[in-house]
Amino acid sequence: MSGALLLSAAATSTAAADGAVDKSIECESAASGDGPFYPGPSASKVYDKAFGKGPAVPALDKSTPQGLAAWNGWDGAGNDLLLVTSYGKSGQDALIIGIDPKSGKHVGTVAIAESHVGGIAVSKGWAFVQGRNSGSEHTIRKYKLSELRDAMKKGGTPYLKQVGEARKVPAASFLAADGGTVYAGKFNETGRGTMQSYQVGDDGSLTEQKTYEVPKKTQGLMVTKDHFVFSTSYGRDNRSNLYVVDKGATDIDRPSTKCYRAPSMVEGITQHGDEAYLLFESGSYKYPDALNVIKNLHKGKVSAVTNP
């Protein structure tokens, strides 16, 4: 493709071993010589330099984390929250878990209707979460932030109902927000996927706008001032990847695209202030044999994450 970055023979071999890389874009894969700050082998020198250990993720003994978003001023007192979505065993409610990014403390947990909850996005007074999918039909649920706030403050694990009917969309494997825009895209195991942007109405309605190309096996998206950062992974034995793409690019094959290896089983990624936070499902009770068993968020300066 025009503007594609060609892999060297060595990089191609590494890509095949890791399994989650887009083979037309080269990913930095050289590992650190010393042991990394997380369990298991080093993902890459670039990653180990850009990130460090963040807050612990609760409820890993009974659920599997998926989506990640930041909620600024959540309590009306100037405090912020990181929201983690997590699914349990079949027939169990899913969870929205609140973590204080400053202290790392678990603030509260709210139950919602069962779903894989692959992504969460916060925009214009609403929290949007992946709904239950049936075959090729994907949906997005919406929750009022005012109601989520009240539930998060109650203690225990109160149940929160969605508002209205779930919105049918082309895909909602991962979600992210940027101001009044929500992005929702599809995880594609065999090739590149797509995502759509939506304008968010005051009533939480979603009006479809543009379609974008995303890397193979995308699990999460962070939208910064200048970049789309895609987290991609597949398989507990493989390293993951972070792709840094120009913000607004509808295709990812361009000379400015960067990629580097990350620890196994990355999921959601989000920005809070000048920090990027990255979530892993490898810390779940389901994956004790993962290449990297990670029970904490990882965090790093956005400037370092986007300029490896």
Side-chain angles (χ1 to χ4, degrees), residues 227-229 242-246 256-260 305-306 308:
H227 297 97
F228 289 148
V229 182
L242 295 180
Y243 291 85
V244 182
V245 180
D246 294 340
S256 55
T257 295
K258 307 177 186 73
C259 178
Y260 54 99
V305 172
T306 58

Side-chain angles (χ1 to χ4, degrees), residues 19-23 116 130 133 138 170-174 184-196 212-220 230-235 241 243 252 267:
V21 73
D22 187 316
K23 292 186 179 181
H116 189 69
Q130 179 194 31
N133 300 335
H138 290 240
S173 305
F174 61 91
K186 184 174 180 60
F187 172 91
N188 189 338
E189 179 185 344
T190 59
R192 292 180 181 178
T194 59
M195 72 177 181
Q196 282 69 42
Y212 302 81
E213 181 182 62
V214 305
K216 183 179 180 180
K217 299 172 182 173
T218 296
Q219 301 278 10
F230 298 99
S231 52
T232 76
S233 69
Y234 187 71
N241 299 288
Y243 291 85
I252 64 174
E267 287 292 332

Side-chain angles (χ1 to χ4, degrees), residues 59-67 84-90 92-97 112-118 130 265 267 281 284-287:
L60 293 175
D61 60 331
K62 60 183 179 181
S63 67
T64 302
Q66 296 291 302
V84 173
T85 53
S86 194
Y87 71 89
K89 296 178 181 179
S90 178
Q92 293 182 343
D93 292 336
L95 303 175
I96 301 177
I97 300 167
I112 60 174
E114 182 183 5
S115 167
H116 189 69
V117 291
Q130 179 194 31
M265 305 186 78
E267 287 292 332
E281 66 177 347
S284 166
Y285 72 97
K286 293 177 63 176
Y287 304 113

Side-chain angles (χ1 to χ4, degrees), residues 4 9-10 32 47 91 107 109 127 140 161 170-171 174 212 227 233 241 252 258 275 277 296 307:
S32 298
Y47 182 90
V107 172
T109 298
I140 296 176
K161 292 183 179 180
F174 61 91
Y212 302 81
H227 297 97
S233 69
N241 299 288
I252 64 174
K258 307 177 186 73
E275 299 274 359
Y277 287 83
N296 290 68
N307 295 281

